[in-house]
Amino acid sequence: MTGGAIIDILFTMKNKCAFPIAVLAVAAVISASARTVMPLDEGWQFRWGKERNADEGWKTVDLPHDAQFEQPWQKGSGARGFKPMGEMWYRRKFHTPGEAAGNRAWLEFGGILCIADVYVNGTKVAGTDYGYLPVAADITGVLNDDGENTVEVWCSTGSTGGSRWYTGAGLYRDAKLVVKPAIAIARNGIFVMADASGLVKASVELDGFARKGGKMALDVVVTVRDCDGKAVAEAKATAPWSKLEHQEVALPEMTIENVKLWDVDSPNLYTAEVRLVLDGKEIDRDAVRFGARTVEFGYDFGMKLNGRKIFLTGMSCHHDLGCLGAAAYRRAIRRQFETMKRFGYNAIRCSHNPYSEDFYELADEMGLVVVDELIDKWSDKDYWLRRKPFTQIWPQLLTDWIKRDRNHPSIVAWSLGNEFQMREDLCGYQMFGDWGVTMFRIMREAAKRWDPTRHVTAAMYPARAGGITKNDPGWAGAPVVPEIAAISDFASFNYQWQTYGECVKLVPGLTIFQSEAAVRELAAPFFGMDREHTIGICWWGALEYWGESNKWPKKGWNYSFFSHALEPYPSAYLIKSAISKDPCLRIGVERTGGESEEWNDVKVGRVDESSSWEGKSGEMKRVRIYTNQCEVELFLNGKSLGKKANDAKENAGRNIVTWQMPFEPGELKAVAGDVSHAIRTAGEAVALKAEVEADDYKADGKDLIYVRCRAVDKDGNQVCSWNEKVSFSCEGAAKFLACDNGDHYTDELFTSDITAKNAKDGFILGVFRCGKNPGLAKLSIVAEGLPPVELPVEIR
């Protein structure tokens, strides 16, 4: 992007308040006028293999379900997480609701990985070649009226080379049946736009009304409600005559008086309730949530949200959720976001595909800014699952993606791809010979058709113009700005923050977002950026994820600030000290030199540290204090080891104060102003301390209870040398789902068949799935050599 500020004025939908859309998410069957939503998440039959009608090998599963994550680890593709590839089948019976008579029935899946075909009563009704987007089909013509129906889903992981990371496989998101009238609000057909003044614009897409205007009077009524359900604005329009099968009706502008804006610190949300009234009778109703806010991008200030300068500090990670694999549980996503917020993060970049609808709803509710990404490469071959060419199906993928996500206030930009500009065959249409510039312009124009409000970008690999990479002869003299970065609404650069000043000289006014930064560089990319004139930073792989492993037996990427169990490493507090306003102080003790390697022309890795004080007497220890305080004093067993100023001038050393000392058992304590942190040499483990993470569990069949367990000594210190077996069980209103010790090198599985696992560094995590009946869940945890733990948890 060049020149002055570009203003992105947004309205978006889906809200924190429970008015009426939240009800849709939890009820068994909900009707509004003739519209009925019936969840189909329970009671699926599943089996691995190509045989559709096999008599054996079936088991019952509930959704979400990641079939691949249940498979054993095996040496092979580290990119795909050392999991076997293959085909599988799901099947389930359901009865046609009585409301289906005279109406239309739609079968919808939140996503099916990786490629899939869907059959109802033996007839193929839908398929997908990109499992990160929903799959939907009108199944009215194949239903057995008031009788039993069968839905079958064939899935395949695709080829090993179809992805660069662990994808998961199967019905990993939710499924539902939607029955609505023949004339109805279209799927993803409501679009709301709003700005900080409270001005609201809305349009509604209709199904089934083509060529009927004039013969019948169809009114579209939009009512905006606040979090308490109070109507704060309303508009009405009569649908005109049109030949278009999917007709859009623009509503008159509305104004919300004393509007409450969506922001990262106060994520206020509204509900847009849409009703269709035909000849005076309501025939359909739907509702979405939205937030009103104004987003601006420009070199003079980087990014503003509602007129206020904001610098994005975020993560760029893949979609899996630790011990659950790719299964998209809302509670697991919420837990991830809560961790991010505690450590000062305010943003996340989706990598490199759309996530579940719950992901965006929670980002809306919790105040996280999202850069939403469609795809990795624009390739018809490598890094693509290959059943149909990407260049053939991208228009439908882009349409489905933006229409689904465009109403979320958390989303501030669309990213059309990632790191493709180093090989021409990864840049889409090769006929143009311009490294994807024409392809980008075509895709951007298509995106603007469905959402004219947001900015469009693409994340650039550390290549230079002409696709030149580090090992090519022309690297040293090549311009550092790739062609697409120069014409994007703003430039998204992965790594190489040291070159951003040169980029701006080459393209004056270039507004830059560091879409990926290396964890190995710790806080240096943050401190080294010109934050006054740039948009923000996202650290790549800040949370461990499966796949993209560089070696066996490591099962994924672990150059991270948090384990896949969301346990923070000491360096997580360095980032917190840099990006958070809260006083921060943390001790990290180096265990080994860690790992470091070159990956895609970038140095990656991390230091291996712990927050425990263990060792042999006299053994030299390197201790790092991560802090945003001016001065630190360190004490060993009450004796001061001196004070040191936090005054490093180089970016790599800022907020890090280092000591080298011989180990002596006891207490190591750091003090800086009013904050302190102490670690102690632990004694023998005498108990298992178990902590239930929340207290608001719902009897919706999918909520999760997370229990953190730590072996402790008589003084409550975590005993990191205790690695004994821990078993989990449950009675009552929940069931055991998974256990996890945070070990990224494990050869064990995590799923419900594995009810016991050895702790790692004195830590283990238990996960339980709530049922649909309120009541008490009695959790039991038994550890070898320690007293058992019983935990009653209320499910409401």
Side-chain angles (χ1 to χ4, degrees), residues 326-365:
Y329 285 93
R330 187 180 182 94
R331 174 72 68 169
I333 300 167
R334 174 177 161 183
R335 180 173 178 262
Q336 175 180 314
F337 286 177
E338 288 171 343
T339 301
M340 292 176 64
K341 295 288 278 190
R342 279 199 307 272
F343 278 78
Y345 295 92
N346 62 15
I348 191 164
R349 169 190 170 230
C350 299
S351 307
H352 305 289
N353 47 261
Y355 289 5
S356 70
E357 292 183 64
D358 282 336
F359 175 94
Y360 303 101
E361 289 181 7
L362 286 166
D364 292 345
E365 294 175 10

Short mmCIF file of all heavy atoms in Angstrom, two decimals, residues 326-365:
data_model
loop_
_atom_site.label_atom_id
_atom_site.label_comp_id
_atom_site.label_asym_id
_atom_site.label_seq_id
_atom_site.Cartn_x
_atom_site.Cartn_y
_atom_site.Cartn_z
N ALA A 326 -7.06 -31.97 15.74
CA ALA A 326 -7.74 -30.90 15.01
C ALA A 326 -9.21 -30.76 15.41
O ALA A 326 -9.89 -29.86 14.89
CB ALA A 326 -7.65 -31.17 13.51
N ALA A 327 -9.72 -31.61 16.30
CA ALA A 327 -11.12 -31.53 16.70
C ALA A 327 -11.41 -30.16 17.29
O ALA A 327 -10.79 -29.74 18.27
CB ALA A 327 -11.45 -32.63 17.70
N ALA A 328 -12.39 -29.45 16.71
CA ALA A 328 -12.60 -28.04 17.03
C ALA A 328 -13.61 -27.88 18.16
O ALA A 328 -14.80 -27.64 17.92
CB ALA A 328 -13.06 -27.29 15.79
N TYR A 329 -13.14 -27.99 19.38
CA TYR A 329 -13.97 -27.77 20.56
C TYR A 329 -13.91 -26.30 20.96
O TYR A 329 -12.84 -25.72 21.09
CB TYR A 329 -13.47 -28.62 21.74
CG TYR A 329 -13.79 -30.08 21.64
CD1 TYR A 329 -12.88 -30.97 21.07
CD2 TYR A 329 -14.98 -30.60 22.15
CE1 TYR A 329 -13.15 -32.33 21.01
CE2 TYR A 329 -15.26 -31.96 22.10
CZ TYR A 329 -14.34 -32.82 21.53
OH TYR A 329 -14.61 -34.16 21.47
N ARG A 330 -15.08 -25.72 21.22
CA ARG A 330 -15.15 -24.31 21.58
C ARG A 330 -14.36 -24.01 22.85
O ARG A 330 -13.64 -23.02 22.93
CB ARG A 330 -16.62 -23.90 21.75
CG ARG A 330 -16.82 -22.40 21.97
CD ARG A 330 -18.30 -22.08 22.14
NE ARG A 330 -18.54 -20.65 22.31
CZ ARG A 330 -18.84 -19.81 21.34
NH1 ARG A 330 -18.93 -20.27 20.10
NH2 ARG A 330 -19.05 -18.52 21.58
N ARG A 331 -14.48 -24.85 23.86
CA ARG A 331 -13.78 -24.61 25.13
C ARG A 331 -12.28 -24.62 24.93
O ARG A 331 -11.55 -23.83 25.55
CB ARG A 331 -14.19 -25.65 26.16
CG ARG A 331 -13.41 -25.59 27.47
CD ARG A 331 -13.77 -24.39 28.33
NE ARG A 331 -15.12 -24.48 28.85
CZ ARG A 331 -15.62 -23.68 29.79
NH1 ARG A 331 -14.86 -22.72 30.31
NH2 ARG A 331 -16.87 -23.80 30.19
N ALA A 332 -11.77 -25.49 24.07
CA ALA A 332 -10.33 -25.56 23.83
C ALA A 332 -9.83 -24.28 23.17
O ALA A 332 -8.74 -23.78 23.50
CB ALA A 332 -10.00 -26.76 22.96
N ILE A 333 -10.62 -23.73 22.26
CA ILE A 333 -10.25 -22.46 21.62
C ILE A 333 -10.30 -21.33 22.64
O ILE A 333 -9.39 -20.49 22.71
CB ILE A 333 -11.18 -22.17 20.44
CG1 ILE A 333 -11.09 -23.29 19.40
CG2 ILE A 333 -10.84 -20.83 19.80
CD1 ILE A 333 -12.21 -23.26 18.37
N ARG A 334 -11.35 -21.31 23.43
CA ARG A 334 -11.48 -20.28 24.46
C ARG A 334 -10.29 -20.33 25.42
O ARG A 334 -9.74 -19.29 25.81
CB ARG A 334 -12.79 -20.48 25.21
CG ARG A 334 -12.98 -19.57 26.41
CD ARG A 334 -14.34 -19.80 27.02
NE ARG A 334 -14.40 -19.30 28.40
CZ ARG A 334 -15.45 -19.42 29.19
NH1 ARG A 334 -16.54 -20.04 28.75
NH2 ARG A 334 -15.44 -18.95 30.41
N ARG A 335 -9.90 -21.53 25.81
CA ARG A 335 -8.75 -21.70 26.72
C ARG A 335 -7.48 -21.11 26.11
O ARG A 335 -6.67 -20.47 26.80
CB ARG A 335 -8.60 -23.19 27.01
CG ARG A 335 -7.49 -23.59 27.92
CD ARG A 335 -7.61 -25.08 28.21
NE ARG A 335 -6.52 -25.51 29.05
CZ ARG A 335 -5.41 -26.10 28.60
NH1 ARG A 335 -5.27 -26.31 27.30
NH2 ARG A 335 -4.46 -26.46 29.44
N GLN A 336 -7.29 -21.34 24.81
CA GLN A 336 -6.14 -20.77 24.12
C GLN A 336 -6.19 -19.25 24.14
O GLN A 336 -5.18 -18.58 24.42
CB GLN A 336 -6.12 -21.28 22.68
CG GLN A 336 -5.02 -20.68 21.81
CD GLN A 336 -5.06 -21.24 20.40
OE1 GLN A 336 -5.19 -22.43 20.20
NE2 GLN A 336 -4.98 -20.37 19.42
N PHE A 337 -7.36 -18.68 23.87
CA PHE A 337 -7.50 -17.23 23.86
C PHE A 337 -7.29 -16.64 25.25
O PHE A 337 -6.71 -15.56 25.40
CB PHE A 337 -8.88 -16.85 23.33
CG PHE A 337 -9.05 -17.02 21.84
CD1 PHE A 337 -10.26 -16.76 21.23
CD2 PHE A 337 -7.99 -17.44 21.04
CE1 PHE A 337 -10.43 -16.91 19.86
CE2 PHE A 337 -8.14 -17.61 19.67
CZ PHE A 337 -9.36 -17.34 19.08
N GLU A 338 -7.80 -17.31 26.27
CA GLU A 338 -7.60 -16.82 27.64
C GLU A 338 -6.13 -16.77 27.98
O GLU A 338 -5.66 -15.82 28.64
CB GLU A 338 -8.36 -17.72 28.63
CG GLU A 338 -9.87 -17.54 28.57
CD GLU A 338 -10.61 -18.58 29.39
OE1 GLU A 338 -10.01 -19.62 29.73
OE2 GLU A 338 -11.80 -18.38 29.66
N THR A 339 -5.38 -17.78 27.56
CA THR A 339 -3.93 -17.78 27.78
C THR A 339 -3.27 -16.61 27.07
O THR A 339 -2.43 -15.90 27.64
CB THR A 339 -3.32 -19.11 27.30
OG1 THR A 339 -3.93 -20.20 28.01
CG2 THR A 339 -1.82 -19.14 27.53
N MET A 340 -3.65 -16.39 25.84
CA MET A 340 -3.08 -15.28 25.08
C MET A 340 -3.35 -13.94 25.76
O MET A 340 -2.45 -13.10 25.89
CB MET A 340 -3.65 -15.28 23.66
CG MET A 340 -3.20 -16.45 22.81
SD MET A 340 -4.01 -16.46 21.18
CE MET A 340 -3.36 -14.94 20.48
N LYS A 341 -4.58 -13.73 26.19
CA LYS A 341 -4.93 -12.46 26.82
C LYS A 341 -4.16 -12.26 28.12
O LYS A 341 -3.74 -11.14 28.43
CB LYS A 341 -6.44 -12.41 27.07
CG LYS A 341 -7.30 -12.40 25.82
CD LYS A 341 -7.25 -11.09 25.07
CE LYS A 341 -8.17 -10.06 25.67
NZ LYS A 341 -8.31 -8.85 24.83
N ARG A 342 -3.99 -13.32 28.90
CA ARG A 342 -3.23 -13.20 30.16
C ARG A 342 -1.81 -12.75 29.91
O ARG A 342 -1.21 -12.09 30.76
CB ARG A 342 -3.22 -14.54 30.91
CG ARG A 342 -4.44 -14.84 31.71
CD ARG A 342 -4.18 -15.91 32.75
NE ARG A 342 -3.60 -17.11 32.20
CZ ARG A 342 -4.30 -18.13 31.71
NH1 ARG A 342 -5.61 -18.06 31.66
NH2 ARG A 342 -3.69 -19.20 31.24
N PHE A 343 -1.25 -13.12 28.78
CA PHE A 343 0.14 -12.78 28.48
C PHE A 343 0.27 -11.53 27.61
O PHE A 343 1.36 -11.23 27.14
CB PHE A 343 0.84 -13.98 27.83
CG PHE A 343 1.32 -14.99 28.84
CD1 PHE A 343 0.44 -15.89 29.42
CD2 PHE A 343 2.64 -15.02 29.24
CE1 PHE A 343 0.87 -16.80 30.36
CE2 PHE A 343 3.10 -15.93 30.17
CZ PHE A 343 2.20 -16.83 30.75
N GLY A 344 -0.83 -10.83 27.40
CA GLY A 344 -0.75 -9.53 26.74
C GLY A 344 -0.98 -9.52 25.25
O GLY A 344 -0.90 -8.46 24.62
N TYR A 345 -1.27 -10.68 24.64
CA TYR A 345 -1.50 -10.71 23.19
C TYR A 345 -2.87 -10.12 22.87
O TYR A 345 -3.82 -10.28 23.64
CB TYR A 345 -1.43 -12.15 22.68
CG TYR A 345 -0.07 -12.79 22.80
CD1 TYR A 345 0.28 -13.53 23.93
CD2 TYR A 345 0.87 -12.67 21.79
CE1 TYR A 345 1.52 -14.12 24.05
CE2 TYR A 345 2.13 -13.26 21.90
CZ TYR A 345 2.45 -13.98 23.03
OH TYR A 345 3.68 -14.56 23.14
N ASN A 346 -2.97 -9.48 21.71
CA ASN A 346 -4.25 -8.92 21.29
C ASN A 346 -4.64 -9.32 19.88
O ASN A 346 -5.63 -8.81 19.33
CB ASN A 346 -4.23 -7.39 21.41
CG ASN A 346 -3.20 -6.73 20.51
OD1 ASN A 346 -2.67 -7.34 19.58
ND2 ASN A 346 -2.89 -5.47 20.78
N ALA A 347 -3.88 -10.25 19.25
CA ALA A 347 -4.14 -10.57 17.85
C ALA A 347 -3.74 -12.00 17.53
O ALA A 347 -2.92 -12.61 18.23
CB ALA A 347 -3.40 -9.59 16.93
N ILE A 348 -4.31 -12.50 16.45
CA ILE A 348 -3.93 -13.82 15.94
C ILE A 348 -4.10 -13.82 14.43
O ILE A 348 -5.03 -13.23 13.89
CB ILE A 348 -4.76 -14.94 16.60
CG1 ILE A 348 -4.18 -16.33 16.27
CG2 ILE A 348 -6.23 -14.85 16.23
CD1 ILE A 348 -4.69 -17.42 17.18
N ARG A 349 -3.15 -14.41 13.75
CA ARG A 349 -3.24 -14.58 12.30
C ARG A 349 -3.53 -16.05 12.00
O ARG A 349 -2.81 -16.94 12.42
CB ARG A 349 -1.93 -14.17 11.63
CG ARG A 349 -1.85 -14.56 10.15
CD ARG A 349 -0.47 -14.35 9.61
NE ARG A 349 -0.31 -14.94 8.28
CZ ARG A 349 0.68 -15.75 7.93
NH1 ARG A 349 1.62 -16.08 8.82
NH2 ARG A 349 0.75 -16.23 6.71
N CYS A 350 -4.61 -16.31 11.29
CA CYS A 350 -4.96 -17.69 10.93
C CYS A 350 -3.94 -18.22 9.93
O CYS A 350 -3.58 -17.52 8.98
CB CYS A 350 -6.36 -17.74 10.34
SG CYS A 350 -7.64 -17.17 11.47
N SER A 351 -3.49 -19.45 10.14
CA SER A 351 -2.40 -19.98 9.32
C SER A 351 -2.67 -21.44 8.96
O SER A 351 -2.69 -22.29 9.83
CB SER A 351 -1.09 -19.91 10.09
OG SER A 351 -0.85 -18.60 10.57
N HIS A 352 -2.79 -21.73 7.73
CA HIS A 352 -2.95 -20.82 6.59
C HIS A 352 -4.27 -21.20 5.94
O HIS A 352 -4.32 -21.61 4.77
CB HIS A 352 -1.79 -20.98 5.59
CG HIS A 352 -0.44 -20.80 6.24
ND1 HIS A 352 0.00 -19.56 6.68
CD2 HIS A 352 0.53 -21.68 6.55
CE1 HIS A 352 1.22 -19.69 7.22
NE2 HIS A 352 1.55 -20.97 7.15
N ASN A 353 -5.32 -21.08 6.72
CA ASN A 353 -6.65 -21.52 6.29
C ASN A 353 -7.70 -20.96 7.24
O ASN A 353 -7.39 -20.57 8.36
CB ASN A 353 -6.71 -23.05 6.30
CG ASN A 353 -6.17 -23.65 7.58
OD1 ASN A 353 -5.03 -24.09 7.62
ND2 ASN A 353 -6.96 -23.66 8.64
N PRO A 354 -8.96 -20.94 6.81
CA PRO A 354 -10.02 -20.51 7.72
C PRO A 354 -10.20 -21.50 8.87
O PRO A 354 -10.06 -22.71 8.70
CB PRO A 354 -11.26 -20.50 6.81
CG PRO A 354 -10.73 -20.42 5.42
CD PRO A 354 -9.44 -21.17 5.45
N TYR A 355 -10.53 -20.97 10.05
CA TYR A 355 -10.74 -21.79 11.25
C TYR A 355 -12.24 -22.01 11.46
O TYR A 355 -13.07 -21.63 10.64
CB TYR A 355 -10.10 -21.11 12.45
CG TYR A 355 -8.58 -21.11 12.45
CD1 TYR A 355 -7.84 -21.60 11.38
CD2 TYR A 355 -7.87 -20.62 13.53
CE1 TYR A 355 -6.46 -21.59 11.39
CE2 TYR A 355 -6.48 -20.61 13.55
CZ TYR A 355 -5.78 -21.10 12.46
OH TYR A 355 -4.41 -21.10 12.48
N SER A 356 -12.59 -22.62 12.59
CA SER A 356 -13.99 -22.92 12.86
C SER A 356 -14.77 -21.65 13.20
O SER A 356 -14.20 -20.63 13.61
CB SER A 356 -14.10 -23.90 14.03
OG SER A 356 -13.72 -23.26 15.24
N GLU A 357 -16.08 -21.70 13.06
CA GLU A 357 -16.91 -20.54 13.38
C GLU A 357 -16.79 -20.16 14.85
O GLU A 357 -16.84 -18.98 15.20
CB GLU A 357 -18.37 -20.82 13.01
CG GLU A 357 -18.58 -20.93 11.50
CD GLU A 357 -20.03 -21.12 11.13
OE1 GLU A 357 -20.83 -20.22 11.40
OE2 GLU A 357 -20.36 -22.19 10.57
N ASP A 358 -16.63 -21.14 15.73
CA ASP A 358 -16.44 -20.84 17.16
C ASP A 358 -15.22 -19.98 17.38
O ASP A 358 -15.20 -19.12 18.27
CB ASP A 358 -16.30 -22.14 17.96
CG ASP A 358 -17.63 -22.82 18.21
OD1 ASP A 358 -18.67 -22.14 18.19
OD2 ASP A 358 -17.64 -24.05 18.44
N PHE A 359 -14.18 -20.20 16.60
CA PHE A 359 -12.94 -19.43 16.73
C PHE A 359 -13.23 -17.94 16.58
O PHE A 359 -12.82 -17.11 17.41
CB PHE A 359 -11.94 -19.92 15.68
CG PHE A 359 -10.66 -19.15 15.61
CD1 PHE A 359 -9.55 -19.56 16.32
CD2 PHE A 359 -10.56 -18.01 14.82
CE1 PHE A 359 -8.36 -18.84 16.26
CE2 PHE A 359 -9.38 -17.29 14.74
CZ PHE A 359 -8.28 -17.72 15.46
N TYR A 360 -13.95 -17.58 15.53
CA TYR A 360 -14.21 -16.17 15.27
C TYR A 360 -15.22 -15.60 16.26
O TYR A 360 -15.11 -14.43 16.66
CB TYR A 360 -14.70 -15.99 13.83
CG TYR A 360 -13.72 -16.54 12.82
CD1 TYR A 360 -13.92 -17.78 12.22
CD2 TYR A 360 -12.56 -15.83 12.48
CE1 TYR A 360 -13.02 -18.29 11.30
CE2 TYR A 360 -11.65 -16.34 11.57
CZ TYR A 360 -11.88 -17.58 10.99
OH TYR A 360 -10.97 -18.09 10.09
N GLU A 361 -16.21 -16.39 16.64
CA GLU A 361 -17.18 -15.91 17.64
C GLU A 361 -16.49 -15.60 18.96
O GLU A 361 -16.78 -14.58 19.60
CB GLU A 361 -18.27 -16.95 17.84
CG GLU A 361 -19.22 -17.09 16.66
CD GLU A 361 -20.31 -18.10 16.90
OE1 GLU A 361 -20.41 -18.60 18.05
OE2 GLU A 361 -21.07 -18.40 15.97
N LEU A 362 -15.55 -16.45 19.36
CA LEU A 362 -14.83 -16.22 20.61
C LEU A 362 -13.89 -15.03 20.48
O LEU A 362 -13.72 -14.26 21.44
CB LEU A 362 -14.06 -17.48 21.01
CG LEU A 362 -14.93 -18.60 21.57
CD1 LEU A 362 -14.15 -19.91 21.61
CD2 LEU A 362 -15.44 -18.25 22.95
N ALA A 363 -13.25 -14.86 19.33
CA ALA A 363 -12.41 -13.68 19.12
C ALA A 363 -13.25 -12.41 19.23
O ALA A 363 -12.81 -11.41 19.82
CB ALA A 363 -11.71 -13.75 17.77
N ASP A 364 -14.46 -12.45 18.69
CA ASP A 364 -15.37 -11.31 18.83
C ASP A 364 -15.66 -11.04 20.30
O ASP A 364 -15.63 -9.89 20.77
CB ASP A 364 -16.71 -11.61 18.13
CG ASP A 364 -16.60 -11.68 16.62
OD1 ASP A 364 -15.58 -11.24 16.08
OD2 ASP A 364 -17.55 -12.19 16.01
N GLU A 365 -15.99 -12.08 21.04
CA GLU A 365 -16.40 -11.94 22.43
C GLU A 365 -15.27 -11.50 23.35
O GLU A 365 -15.48 -10.77 24.32
CB GLU A 365 -16.98 -13.26 22.94
CG GLU A 365 -18.27 -13.67 22.27
CD GLU A 365 -18.74 -15.04 22.72
OE1 GLU A 365 -18.15 -15.58 23.69
OE2 GLU A 365 -19.68 -15.57 22.12
#
